[in-house]
């Protein structure tokens, strides 16, 4: 395969191919077969796998206890534009070799902000976006979503759109405008708002109502601007309950859906659900998908997994097949994602320092999702799972139960029905049976 950059960074690695589950090639997909049809669509189209620029190209492994451990060969130039081009070369070489169709970025991932002025930063983003455009045209790789990082720079320590100081809010607005311009210039299919510091550290010094209404106004402005520039994509809010803030306003899917509706954003906004954010909110991933799907707002997925002992946002690559299979049941029954895809918002561990580790990680993640999808499809089509579920709710499918669902009854009708029927029959929930069916299809 011809590489498309000026430099080749992953020389020892070629195109990652599907070789099936019996392959012992660590650099091959065992389950993710991009062109395989599942439930009427190719795996490629179900997932729209994306690489996250920030973890894969920028994440050198620093943590609160020590600096980064990974000396990336594309991060050597001191000139920000040259460094951005080198990083883009590495990014597109990686995505292309993985056979993925998409990538996602924050503005500051594609080019260093450093201590540049707003005007200089805008210039850097524009120059980098033109280079990315060339790489996209040459490779066919597309932008799943863009976003602005409104949480790392110290100026955002009190929040961005929720900041108590209007000047900081306006600065964040300028950054969103620049990020939207770049996203639109690159035909980005969606735009994400993740509210890292949109929340509080202490309620004592916080006017929650004003802060949340300000975020609403900010998002409506961003939407109106993007639409005026021809952006046709969807905006996603990415819920997360905490970290870095003690409390983040987009706590979970249900909270974010309420915010979207309260702020009049429901025509343009959906949700981007991240596995580890769900578990941090004490929910399962599948719960968050279901809540989003039921509201018609299942937009996109940030794929990863947490650590089930310490609960932190560890952003590990997905490898839990049971969790992913349960999630894929919700995914398939919801008819998939609305506009988004599956972005690997995941990082290799601090001590995984070989460049190959980036490939192993993404291969494992893609295989986990593929396997989950195949299991879910098999459960739906070749087991009695759907019949069991139908039976459980059969009392609402006909007769007086169907009248209830159709809104034809009043409380007196319930009273009369109860009077005439005596103590209801005990009906088992049969949870263990459902669990066994899922396990049997793994
Ligand atoms: C942080 C996180 C972000 C968003 C984009 O937990 O998930 O990387 O996905 O800002
Ligand atoms: Co994320």
């Amino acid at each position: 395969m011809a590489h498309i950059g000026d430099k080749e960074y992953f020389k020892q690695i070629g195109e990652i191919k599907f070789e099936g589950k019996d392959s012992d090639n660590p650099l091959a997909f065992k389950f993710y077969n991009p062109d395989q049809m599942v439930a009427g669509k190719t795996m490629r189209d179900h997932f729209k796998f994306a690489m996250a620029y920030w973890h894969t190209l920028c994440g050198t492994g620093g943590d609160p206890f020590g600096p980064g451990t990974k000396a990336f060969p594309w991060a050597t130039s001191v000139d920000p534009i040259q460094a951005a081009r080198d990083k883009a070369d590495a990014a597109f070489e990686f995505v292309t070799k993985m056979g993925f169709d998409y990538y996602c970025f924050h503005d500051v991932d594609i080019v260093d902000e450093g201590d540049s002025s707003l005007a200089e930063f805008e210039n850097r983003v524009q120059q980098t976006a033109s280079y990315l455009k060339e790489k996209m045209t040459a490779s066919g790789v597309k932008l799943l979503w863009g976003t602005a990082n409104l949480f790392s720079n110290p100026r955002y320590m009190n929040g961005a759109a929720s900041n108590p100081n209007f000047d900081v809010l306006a600065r964040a607005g300028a950054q969103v405008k620049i990020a939207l311009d770049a996203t639109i210039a690159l035909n980005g299919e969606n735009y994400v708002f993740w509210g890292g510091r949109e929340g509080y550290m202490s309620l004592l010094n916080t006017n929650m109502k004003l802060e949340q209404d300000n975020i609403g106004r900010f998002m409506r402005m961003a939407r109106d601007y993007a639409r005026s520039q021809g952006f046709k994509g969807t905006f996603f809010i990415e819920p997360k309950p905490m970290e870095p803030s003690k409390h983040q306003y987009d706590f979970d899917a249900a909270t974010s859906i309420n915010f979207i509706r309260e702020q009049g954003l429901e025509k343009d906004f959906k949700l981007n659900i991240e596995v580890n954010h769900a578990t941090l909110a004490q929910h399962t991933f599948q719960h968050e998908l279901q809540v989003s799907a039921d509201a018609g707002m299942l937009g996109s997925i940030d794929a990863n997994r947490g650590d089930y002992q310490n609960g932190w946002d560890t952003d590990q690559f997905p490898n839990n097949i049971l969790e992913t299979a349960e999630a894929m049941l919700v995914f398939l029954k919801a008819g998939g994602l609305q506009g988004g895809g599956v972005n690997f918002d995941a990082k290799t561990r601090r001590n995984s320092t070989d460049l190959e580790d980036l490939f192993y990680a993404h291969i494992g993640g893609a295989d986990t999702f593929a396997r989950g999808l195949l299991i879910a499809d098999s459960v739906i089509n070749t087991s009695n799972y759907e019949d069991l579920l139908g039976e459980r709710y059969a009392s609402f499918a006909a007769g007086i139960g169907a009248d209830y669902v159709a809104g034809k009854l009043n409380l007196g009708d319930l009273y009369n029905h109860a009077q005439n029927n005596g103590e209801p029959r005990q009906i088992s929930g049969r949870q263990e049976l459902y669990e066994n069916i899922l396990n049997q299809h793994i």
Side-chain angles (χ1 to χ4, degrees):
M1 193 200 76
H3 74 92
I4 45 155
D6 300 333
K7 298 171 189 146
E8 192 174 9
Y9 292 102
F10 308 100
K11 281 206 182 67
Q12 58 290 50
I13 294 170
E15 200 177 337
I16 307 299
K17 299 211 178 72
F18 170 73
E19 292 185 6
K21 72 176 171 47
D22 296 325
S23 165
D24 55 12
N25 176 3
L27 289 166
F29 295 117
K30 316 298 183 303
F31 295 91
Y32 175 57
N33 184 1
D35 300 319
Q36 184 178 336
M37 296 291 288
V38 181
K41 255 197 224 178
T42 61
M43 285 192 178
R44 179 188 291 282
D45 291 341
H46 272 294
F47 295 131
K48 294 167 71 179
F49 282 134
M51 176 209 72
Y53 224 92
W54 52 103
H55 287 308
T56 303
L57 284 309
C58 317
T60 54
D63 70 15
F65 302 92
T69 52
K70 308 173 198 203
F72 289 143
W74 51 85
T76 54
S77 177
V78 289
D79 171 49
I81 295 300
Q82 187 56 49
R85 286 170 164 254
D86 293 344
K87 209 197 283 190
D89 289 345
F92 279 76
E93 186 191 334
F94 181 82
V95 182
T96 307
K97 285 183 170 174
M98 283 304 306
F100 290 171
D101 295 325
Y102 289 91
Y103 73 112
C104 301
F105 64 69
H106 300 84
D107 47 1
V108 303
D109 305 332
I110 57 172
V111 64
D112 255 13
E113 181 184 16
D115 53 8
S116 60
S117 66
L118 184 59
E120 169 58 17
F121 181 58
E122 176 163 29
N123 182 276
R124 288 184 190 183
V125 170
Q126 285 170 348
Q127 283 194 57
T128 307
S130 340
Y131 190 63
L132 289 171
K133 182 126 199 161
E134 285 174 34
K135 309 287 298 182
M136 290 169 71
T137 309
S139 62
V141 171
K142 295 171 274 187
L143 178 61
L144 187 64
W145 49 260
T147 188
N149 177 326
L150 305 177
F151 44 89
S152 295
N153 191 298
R155 80 171 68 89
Y156 298 122
M157 67 181 188
N158 290 306
S162 65
N163 201 288
N165 176 3
F166 174 77
D167 291 343
V168 179
L169 183 152
R171 182 63 176 71
Q175 211 181 312
V176 167
K177 179 180 177 297
I178 295 166
L180 275 168
D181 287 340
T183 302
I184 295 167
L186 296 173
N187 297 319
E189 297 185 11
N190 307 279
Y191 186 87
V192 163
F193 285 100
W194 169 63
R197 296 189 197 272
E198 311 293 29
Y200 62 79
M201 300 306 286
S202 168
L203 197 51
L204 281 174
N205 66 3
T206 302
N207 181 340
M208 191 192 269
K209 172 85 177 134
L210 178 65
E211 290 196 3
Q212 290 206 266
D213 285 345
N214 280 349
I215 300 173
R217 283 183 266 271
F218 187 93
M219 287 183 176
R220 290 193 295 276
M221 280 181 187
R223 172 200 62 195
D224 294 345
Y225 174 73
R227 295 294 182 232
S228 78
Q229 300 302 300
F231 178 64
K232 298 271 188 299
T234 304
F235 293 88
F236 298 139
I237 285 181
E238 183 178 324
K240 186 177 182 183
M242 64 195 82
E243 204 201 287
S245 305
K246 168 200 160 50
H247 176 90
Q248 277 165 222
Y249 293 137
D250 304 324
F251 194 92
D252 59 3
T255 311
S256 304
I257 290 164
N258 181 59
F259 174 84
I260 286 171
R261 289 180 177 150
E262 192 174 66
Q263 296 294 337
L265 296 164
E266 62 275 9
K267 288 202 177 67
D268 305 275
F269 279 64
K270 299 190 190 302
L271 298 182
N272 179 32
I273 297 299
E274 178 161 328
V275 187
N276 207 165
H277 296 180
T279 52
L280 208 53
Q282 303 283 326
H283 298 308
T284 60
F285 174 36
Q286 53 272 28
H287 168 92
E288 290 291 85
L289 295 181
Q290 188 72 63
V291 170
S292 309
D294 290 347
M297 292 190 194
L298 178 53
S300 207
I301 287 175
D302 265 10
N304 58 27
R305 78 176 200 280
D307 181 295
Y308 300 103
Q309 278 69 52
N310 66 24
W312 300 335
D313 189 17
T314 55
D315 285 347
Q316 294 172 82
F317 274 83
N319 82 345
N320 185 329
I321 292 164
L322 190 58
E323 174 181 65
T324 313
E326 279 199 46
M328 289 300 103
L329 261 183
V330 179
F331 174 100
L332 276 180
K333 290 177 69 162
L337 303 172
Q338 297 190 38
V342 175
N343 167 51
F344 289 107
D345 193 351
K347 56 191 177 208
T348 54
R349 297 303 83 191
R350 187 169 186 266
N351 53 352
S352 298
T353 47
D354 292 341
L355 287 180
E356 285 89 337
D357 293 324
L358 291 172
F359 285 87
Y360 299 143
H362 285 83
I363 290 169
D367 273 344
T368 301
F369 267 74
R371 222 171 157 180
L373 187 78
L374 292 167
I375 293 162
D377 183 58
S378 162
V379 166
I380 291 170
N381 291 306
T382 69
S383 80
N384 61 344
Y385 171 77
E386 288 292 316
D387 297 335
L388 280 173
L389 206 54
E391 262 172 48
R392 186 153 196 244
Y393 293 91
S395 67
F396 290 99
I400 189 164
D403 289 344
Y404 176 78
V405 171
K408 292 180 184 160
L409 305 185
N410 59 33
L411 197 61
D413 297 322
L414 301 190
Y415 174 85
N416 292 334
H417 182 78
Q419 282 290 12
N420 298 334
N421 278 270
E423 186 57 30
R425 185 166 63 91
Q426 187 180 56
I427 304 175
S428 170
R430 300 196 273 193
Q431 181 177 329
E432 297 77 6
L433 176 57
Y434 286 82
E435 289 168 349
N436 291 354
I437 292 171
L438 186 61
N439 268 2
Q440 195 186 343
H441 287 257
I442 289 182

